[in-house]
Amino acid sequence: MTPAVRFERVSRHFGEVRAVDEVSLEIADGEFFAMLGPSGSGKTTCLRLIAGFEQPTAGHIEIHGVTVEGVPPYERDVNTVFQDYALFPHMSVLDNVAYGLMVKGAAKAERRRQAEEMLELVVLAGLAGRRPAQLSGGQRQRVALARALINHPRVLLLDEPLGALDLKLREQMQIELKALQRRVGITFVYVTHDQGEALSMSDRLAVFNEGRIEQVGRPDEVYEHPATAFVAGFVGFTNILAPELAGRLTGRAEALSIRPERIDFLAPGEAAAEALCTVEGEVADIQYHGANTRYQVRLAGGGELIVIRQNARGARARAGARPGEPVRLVWDRGDVQPLHGGTGEAGG
Ligand code: ADP
Ligand code: MG
């Protein structure tokens, strides 16, 4: 199937700054695709390249199989939801939503009918007469969404659309947005710096770092098998073992990562099976986080590991580690992930 968006070695440089640096990428039709990365990693520039607000310095972009070089933004079958919503403050909610149809010259009754339909889609039907200032943050967000969807774009670009909302509302909107995307079935390209958001919402995600993509994959692939130290550290928290420490613990003297929740404590006197790795250490610090507890363990012979244990049913009986106590840690060899690109700087 023809991808919705295709980048072939696309670069966008601003003078010395390589905002986007030889990015190749295919986003499938109907996919919820997240672009994840820290601030300044080139995500917004990629969206602007798709939208046509920015032209590549080099490389090639296709939207639904058609080269978009020289095609102005309004002729591309895409629309954008911006982080600050960019609503018109002097217009009613209904007129904001209908704006795209007005630009196209649709008749007033038709504009009204379609705008009302869109407001229903985003569950705002009762608020058509209000001004943006009379809405909550979440409601404004939905108006922006309805406004972007009214022209039935085949690709919707969303740039940190939930960034201005508080945590509870953000989590609720994540679920709503994902459900909406399934319902309308169009391609979403979703920019975020929030790894939890990217993991929980997307079908696939690309992890950006300094204008380049470090890894593309399904959320579970990226989390379970981070390709680089940067990805391992940015997507979730991880222990990154420098080659020297890795060699001592696992016999493989190369940069490795192991997730803190994949490490467990051995009970005193408990023997570990052949397939397991063990190491002795001492609890240096304990942080209680409600659902889980985080242990900082200083290893015998140097180095440290973070261990996270869920405070799930039955867990209390096994805990009991206190600062200064000797412990033995255990993990599956298969949970240790080799990393490319050294130990990086993003690691825990
Ligand atoms: P992100 O959205 O991931 O935070 P951006 O794509 O906005 O990153 O920016 C990537 C890099 O490009 C940053 O270093 C930014 O300062 C730079 N940049 C973006 N737009 C411009 C511009 N119009 N002029 C100069 N530099 C820019
Ligand atoms: Mg940005």
Side-chain angles (χ1 to χ4, degrees):
M1 202 163 67
T2 312
V5 177
R6 200 168 82 83
F7 274 34
E8 198 185 304
R9 298 180 64 124
V10 172
S11 296
R12 178 63 172 110
H13 298 173
F14 298 102
E16 294 288 285
V17 179
R18 300 175 171 213
V20 175
D21 199 17
E22 298 207 353
V23 164
S24 294
L25 174 68
E26 284 193 2
I27 301 174
D29 203 15
E31 189 168 40
F32 196 122
F33 190 90
M35 293 180 169
L36 172 68
S39 175
S41 58
K43 309 178 300 289
T44 293
T45 304
C46 273
L47 276 199
R48 291 173 57 79
L49 285 163
I50 300 171
F53 301 132
E54 226 40 276
Q55 299 305 318
T57 313
H60 179 75
I61 300 175
E62 287 174 15
I63 299 179
H64 296 112
V66 179
T67 302
V68 291
E69 262 117 273
V71 179
Y74 57 86
E75 279 177 19
R76 302 188 183 195
D77 209 354
V78 303
N79 218 335
T80 308
V81 177
F82 299 96
Q83 176 171 0
D84 60 1
Y85 315 144
L87 299 176
F88 302 117
H90 57 286
M91 283 188 194
S92 70
V93 164
L94 189 90
D95 288 343
N96 263 284
V97 174
Y99 183 78
L101 295 178
M102 193 177 77
V103 171
K104 277 187 172 175
K108 188 162 184 193
E110 182 58 20
R111 292 192 322 243
R112 181 173 194 95
R113 189 188 66 74
Q114 285 197 40
E116 280 171 350
E117 197 180 297
M118 282 299 140
L119 285 173
E120 227 151 87
L121 184 72
V122 298
V123 207
L124 275 185
L127 304 181
R130 290 212 190 158
R131 298 278 165 100
Q134 297 169 302
L135 301 176
S136 71
Q139 290 166 339
R140 264 177 243 164
Q141 214 288 317
R142 283 180 224 179
V143 175
L145 205 61
R147 188 178 62 173
L149 286 170
I150 199 159
N151 284 332
H152 301 285
R154 286 178 72 187
V155 179
L156 189 66
L157 310 174
L158 302 104
D159 196 353
E160 314 244 4
L162 307 181
L165 308 180
D166 63 47
L167 182 64
K168 265 266 179 318
L169 187 55
R170 203 158 71 219
E171 287 172 349
Q172 183 194 329
M173 287 300 295
Q174 286 168 9
I175 295 166
E176 281 186 27
L177 260 179
K178 175 85 193 164
L180 181 75
Q181 190 264 343
R182 282 206 200 95
R183 209 151 63 230
V184 295
I186 64 178
T187 310
F188 273 34
V189 185
Y190 190 99
V191 161
T192 180
H193 66 270
D194 180 329
Q195 49 97 17
E197 200 162 280
L199 287 178
S200 65
M201 297 178 81
S202 71
D203 297 315
R204 287 190 311 145
L205 64 144
V207 183
F208 280 73
N209 181 25
E210 296 183 343
R212 291 172 168 268
I213 291 182
E214 299 241 341
Q215 190 171 6
V216 181
R218 289 194 321 266
D220 59 309
E221 285 171 351
V222 172
Y223 185 83
E224 309 253 341
H225 305 289
T228 66
F230 178 81
V231 174
F234 193 76
V235 182
F237 180 85
T238 200
N239 291 292
I240 292 185
L241 313 181
E244 188 271 323
L245 178 59
R248 217 172 74 221
L249 296 187
T250 69
R252 288 154 75 176
E254 53 177 332
L256 299 175
S257 120
I258 178 147
R259 298 287 182 189
E261 73 275 17
R262 299 296 171 87
I263 308 176
D264 202 353
F265 294 105
L266 273 177
E270 186 182 337
E274 185 75 12
L276 301 177
C277 274
T278 66
V279 62
E280 293 183 7
E282 180 186 299
V283 176
D285 190 37
I286 301 180
Q287 290 169 11
Y288 176 73
H289 291 277
N292 59 57
T293 300
R294 201 179 133 134
Y295 302 85
Q296 187 188 339
V297 178
R298 210 173 286 134
L299 304 178
E304 69 170 43
L305 287 174
I306 302 293
V307 179
I308 295 180
R309 302 308 309 160
Q310 293 297 313
N311 295 323
R313 180 172 167 273
R316 193 168 303 156
R318 328 190 38 186
R322 294 208 167 68
E325 260 185 17
V327 288
R328 279 165 76 212
L329 304 180
V330 62
W331 61 86
D332 285 355
R333 288 181 195 281
D335 283 334
V336 172
Q337 189 63 30
L339 298 171
H340 308 290
T343 51
E345 287 173 5

